[in-house]
Amino acid sequence: MTKRSKRHVLRRSRTALRMMSVPTRRIFLLVGLSVALAVLQGLAVGMLSPVLQYIEFGSVKSSGPYGTLLLNVSHSLGLQVTLLTLLVLAFIPVIFREVVYFVNNWATSRVVQGAATRMRTRGFSALVDGDLAFVVGQGFGNLVSTLTLQAQRGSQAVGQFLAQISTGLLILMYVIVLLTLDWRLGLMAVAAMLFMSFLVRGAVTRSRALGAETTRRNNETYSVIGERITAIRLIKMLGQEKAETRKVNQVVRHLADAQVRIAIFSGVIEVTLDPLNMLVVFAIIYVGVQYFNASLATLGIFLFILLQLSQLAKNFNAGWQTLVSLIDSLISVRDVIAKATASLRIVGGGTPFEGVRESIRFENVSFAYGDEKEHLVLNGVDLEIPSRSQTAIVGRSGGGKSTLVDLIPRLREATAGEILFDGRRIQEFELHSLRRSIGFMTQDALLFDDTIHANLVYGLDREPSSDEIETALQAGYCSSFIAKLPKGLVTRVGDRGVRLSGGQRQRLALARVFLQDPDILILDEPTSALDSESEEYIQKALESVRHRKTLIVIAHQIG
């Protein structure tokens, strides 16, 4: 990797640390642990030199730093210099190194998982607080992939960045050990490593583009598979099993191809470095013996360190490749969070909303999505909805009916015009109390994969009594089918309520609305996908509240 590319990766790594709010003190702690680990590793390896000298010559030379250190420690402790004494003293840095390694590994794991938690939380918070149009426009599969797979990979970028620091410090420490043992052979080894890094820089740089492609392919794969699992009934009914299997196969093959290409470039690095490493080892042996009269102890330590450096160098180069790929995932998450945060955020006023006494009035209201100001979905709408009445909004599909009612709880904000509750602008009311006073039902009942009871009380600020729950169930015509379930209210409904029939899901959703007891009830074609029996139940339930609530019904036709 070129210096320019490395600087680019370092800048993006620092951006990653800031984005995931990793505390500076923790970064310094981890870097400090990496420094301690490298020093102890270098010390542990360097201590082998006087041990090998003792084995070769029967004594320890005090000219070298490691021999001097061991002799000084032995004399200060009053120990006789023997092979056993030297081995015991040389083993002490190994013990401390393992302790530091354990602490460093634990601390790094905490930082990485903490970063993943913060990133996912920030991402979800940005989505639920941001503009509904942004969420809808991004797509279900892409957002789920971003907050799960890409967020996990992005958090691993922090761990990989710290691993690069640790590996770099260890390489530096090994180089220092080589130079202290024999500066001439040490310089030869350093020059050889720099030359090998220069040879493989092209393969590492190419992997950067492949990392971005892999991120994009991962998102595409998640989205395509997620959409088709959601539409499994439609696929079966239309006989599209083979066609959709071919589509999924095509997408996952593109992902596999990108990953294979990354593996190929990793292989190029491997087959280039291994033979060169052996050539360097042989050259140092030859030069050390023929020209510098190096001892077997010195050559032995050199060979050991060079073999270690060979693996560390490969890990370091491969680490840059991995870091680039992980940072691309992180940037993907960052961009989604930034766009969601920058999207329109609706802010409420300071007046608690206490219901509609007279009417809801639209005055010359217009709406357009995002920057498409010239394509108005609603244009100059004037409408008055009397309190405690039933108002039907009828029109063709795509005519803006759902968009119109989304303006009432301020899920979307009008581009122009005013919406008034009893003559007061909608922006004056608290957002929380306004939305809590509005019940919403669509043709697709929204249920979580939880118990019936949990779905009923979802979103309530209080725990309702058993009588309140039973009253809501009876009003929604749910009591009879729940009584037949073996576990009653603690029955799990499955993903999106799949264990219940369509009519049962709608009635349960209606019972939840009744338990909420809203002042305004918006019904977006709640019976359009139901059989006649279920539709009759829903109609009866709504008839019981039509004179007590402000009902707004969306339909294709009056009926």
Side-chain angles (χ1 to χ4, degrees):
M1 181 175 283
T2 63
K3 290 183 178 179
R4 181 178 179 182
S5 297
K6 287 187 177 181
R7 286 196 298 269
H8 179 73
V9 173
L10 288 172
R11 284 196 301 269
R12 297 176 80 182
S13 299
R14 289 193 293 269
T15 300
L17 295 175
R18 289 194 300 269
M19 172 188 169
M20 290 184 287
S21 305
V22 179
T24 304
R25 64 180 183 278
R26 291 192 180 181
I27 297 299
F28 282 129
L29 171 64
L30 291 171
V31 172
L33 288 171
S34 296
V35 171
L37 188 62
V39 170
L40 289 169
Q41 178 67 13
L43 194 59
V45 173
M47 289 297 188
L48 292 176
S49 179
V51 172
L52 294 177
Q53 285 178 8
Y54 187 89
I55 294 173
E56 185 178 359
F57 303 110
S59 63
V60 177
K61 297 179 180 180
S62 59
S63 58
Y66 305 105
T68 302
L69 177 62
L70 276 181
L71 290 175
N72 289 339
V73 172
S74 298
H75 293 155
S76 63
L77 295 176
L79 300 174
Q80 185 180 357
V81 178
T82 65
L83 180 60
L84 179 61
T85 301
L86 295 175
L87 289 172
V88 170
L89 292 177
F91 189 65
I92 292 175
V94 176
I95 298 297
F96 282 106
R97 180 195 64 192
E98 296 307 314
V99 172
V100 173
Y101 175 81
F102 175 81
V103 175
N104 184 60
N105 200 43
W106 169 78
T108 301
S109 178
R110 290 288 302 271
V111 168
V112 170
Q113 296 308 317
T117 300
R118 285 190 295 274
M119 188 158 43
R120 285 170 174 152
T121 303
R122 284 182 58 196
F124 185 78
S125 176
L127 291 179
V128 296
D129 290 338
D131 187 9
L132 180 62
F134 170 79
V135 177
V136 173
Q138 286 292 305
F140 167 79
N142 182 59
L143 291 178
V144 173
S145 173
T146 298
L147 294 185
T148 53
L149 175 63
Q150 301 307 327
Q152 183 62 38
R153 286 173 54 81
S155 67
Q156 290 171 353
V158 177
Q160 186 61 44
F161 179 68
L162 295 170
Q164 288 298 99
I165 292 177
S166 180
T167 304
L169 288 171
L170 196 53
I171 291 174
L172 177 63
M173 184 53 59
Y174 275 142
V175 169
I176 291 174
V177 173
L178 290 178
L179 293 174
T180 56
L181 290 174
D182 191 311
W183 65 271
R184 297 163 299 183
L185 294 179
L187 288 178
M188 280 185 61
V190 171
M193 285 189 297
L194 293 176
F195 176 69
M196 288 186 289
S197 295
F198 175 79
L199 288 180
V200 299
R201 76 189 190 283
V204 177
T205 302
R206 172 61 180 148
S207 68
R208 180 178 166 192
L210 290 175
E213 182 181 352
T214 300
T215 298
R216 181 171 59 83
R217 294 296 185 186
N218 267 317
N219 280 342
E220 181 185 16
T221 300
Y222 199 99
S223 178
V224 168
I225 293 177
E227 284 178 351
R228 277 143 186 83
I229 290 177
T230 302
I232 195 72
R233 283 191 176 88
L234 177 64
I235 292 172
K236 286 180 174 292
M237 290 300 297
L238 296 180
Q240 295 298 298
E241 294 92 340
K242 292 183 178 180
E244 294 301 336
T245 299
R246 285 195 298 269
K247 173 65 176 177
V248 170
N249 180 62
Q250 181 184 27
V251 170
V252 296
R253 278 184 178 276
H254 288 159
L255 174 60
D257 288 343
Q259 292 173 331
V260 166
R261 277 179 282 163
I262 289 179
I264 289 173
F265 281 101
S266 298
V268 169
I269 295 173
E270 189 81 15
V271 300
T272 302
L273 290 180
D274 278 347
L276 289 176
N277 283 327
M278 293 310 299
L279 284 175
V280 171
V281 169
F282 294 157
I284 287 178
I285 292 175
Y286 181 79
V287 172
V289 172
Q290 289 293 110
Y291 298 101
F292 300 147
N293 295 320
S295 65
L296 290 178
T298 299
L299 287 176
I301 297 298
F302 255 83
L303 295 181
F304 175 80
I305 292 178
L306 286 174
L307 291 175
Q308 293 291 315
L309 280 175
S310 171
Q311 188 60 47
L312 286 173
K314 286 191 289 187
N315 291 344
F316 194 68
N317 282 316
W320 283 116
Q321 179 180 350
T322 302
L323 182 59
V324 167
S325 173
L326 295 175
I327 287 179
D328 283 324
S329 293
L330 179 63
I331 298 303
S332 173
V333 179
R334 184 195 66 179
D335 289 345
V336 169
I337 294 177
K339 290 176 183 177
T341 303
S343 66
L344 175 65
R345 286 177 177 263
I346 299 174
V347 180
T351 304
F353 184 76
E354 297 178 352
V356 179
R357 293 182 175 82
E358 298 176 6
S359 67
I360 304 170
R361 194 163 70 250
F362 286 65
E363 293 184 350
N364 198 30
V365 171
S366 298
F367 178 83
Y369 290 107
D371 298 328
E372 301 177 0
K373 303 300 182 184
E374 67 279 7
H375 301 295
L376 294 176
V377 179
L378 302 174
N379 187 11
V381 175
D382 290 303
L383 172 67
E384 184 166 6
I385 301 173
S387 173
R388 307 294 183 266
S389 68
Q390 178 171 318
T391 301
I393 300 175
V394 183
R396 60 179 175 81
S397 296
K401 304 185 299 297
S402 296
T403 302
L404 178 70
V405 297
D406 279 347
L407 299 176
I408 297 174
R410 298 189 71 193
L411 296 176
R412 305 182 191 274
E413 196 79 312
T415 305
E418 296 283 358
I419 300 175
L420 308 173
F421 286 89
D422 297 333
R424 301 185 63 174
R425 297 174 66 247
I426 192 173
Q427 290 82 2
E428 296 180 18
F429 297 104
E430 289 178 350
L431 201 58
H432 180 73
S433 62
L434 172 66
R435 290 176 176 172
R436 292 304 298 271
S437 297
I438 300 173
F440 204 93
M441 272 193 67
T442 66
Q443 56 184 311
D444 296 318
L446 302 176
L447 299 178
F448 293 101
D449 185 8
D450 209 329
T451 64
I452 290 177
H453 179 272
N455 276 284
L456 274 173
V457 302
Y458 176 75
L460 294 181
D461 293 330
R462 58 184 178 80
E463 180 63 34
S465 65
S466 299
D467 290 341
E468 288 177 308
I469 291 176
E470 183 57 32
T471 299
L473 291 175
Q474 289 179 358
Y477 291 90
C478 297
S479 298
S480 57
F481 79 80
I482 291 177
K484 297 176 182 177
L485 298 174
K487 295 185 178 181
L489 286 174
V490 295
T491 301
R492 296 190 71 90
V493 301
D495 184 28
R496 301 184 183 182
V498 69
R499 295 179 182 175
L500 302 178
S501 69
Q504 289 171 337
R505 290 196 296 269
Q506 285 295 77
R507 284 143 63 187
L508 184 59
L510 186 58
R512 178 172 59 195
V513 171
F514 287 155
L515 194 59
Q516 177 188 346
D517 193 27
D519 182 68
I520 302 167
L521 182 54
I522 298 174
L523 309 170
D524 191 350
E525 302 186 71
T527 63
S528 62
L530 300 182
D531 57 77
S532 57
E533 181 182 3
S534 297
E535 182 176 358
E536 183 180 356
Y537 281 127
I538 298 296
Q539 294 289 3
K540 287 181 179 179
L542 295 175
E543 185 66 27
S544 65
V545 298
R546 63 180 300 180
H547 298 297
R548 296 185 290 110
K549 309 289 182 184
T550 303
L551 296 182
I552 303 172
V553 182
I554 296 176
H556 285 108
Q557 58 185 4
I558 297 177

